[in-house]
Amino acid sequence: MLISTKGRYALRVMTDLAGQIPGEYIPLKEIAQRQEISEKYLEAIIKLLVRGGLVTGLRGKGGGYRLTRPPEAYTAGEVLRLTEGSLAPVACLGSDAAPCARAAACLTLPVWQGLDRVIKQYLDGVTIADLLRQASAGNGGVI
């Protein structure tokens, strides 16, 4: 499993929004500048986040984007699944995978199932609020 820049940048957007004044709309241009990410690329990512209900947008003067829930209510797993699709370590465990004809005889399947379980448990156990706390505790500010 390799997390793309889309997934990594989506987490950065979410932590950026979570670090702002709650309820305030933040212009995409400001997020792009703070995160040093192309505004054009962020537009595609923010569309996914809006479509997934993680953020909401407001057009016009005073517009921008904000979280729809408190930072504690989002997990890294939720954000990454939205932007990456499956986080499964092998194709046969993906959410849209067809049943594998070899599953009953596959000696390595338990390894992949165990790894998939560990990945999900870990990513679903880390919230956006946790990431902010780590950064403010002096453990770096870049994701």
Side-chain angles (χ1 to χ4, degrees), residues 36-89:
E36 298 177 347
I37 300 171
S38 156
E39 190 174 346
K40 185 82 171 158
Y41 192 45
L42 281 186
E43 287 174 3
I45 294 169
I46 207 81
K47 282 181 187 177
L48 286 173
L49 297 174
V50 168
R51 202 173 316 133
L54 277 60
V55 302
T56 187
L58 179 66
R59 293 185 185 271
K61 186 174 171 109
Y65 297 92
R66 69 179 185 188
L67 300 179
T68 58
R69 305 187 306 248
E72 299 80 21
Y74 297 96
T75 67
E78 174 184 20
V79 175
L80 291 174
R81 276 189 293 279
L82 178 65
T83 56
E84 298 291 325
S86 176
L87 297 176

Side-chain angles (χ1 to χ4, degrees), residues 93-141:
L93 294 178
S95 56
D96 58 352
C100 178
R102 293 189 31 82
C106 182
L107 298 178
T108 60
L109 183 59
V111 170
W112 306 128
Q113 289 171 327
L115 180 58
D116 188 45
R117 204 169 27 258
V118 169
I119 291 169
K120 285 178 183 172
Q121 286 173 348
Y122 178 73
L123 292 175
D124 289 337
V126 176
T127 69
I128 297 300
D130 293 333
L131 296 174
L132 284 177
R133 276 192 291 276
Q134 289 175 350
S136 66
N139 295 331

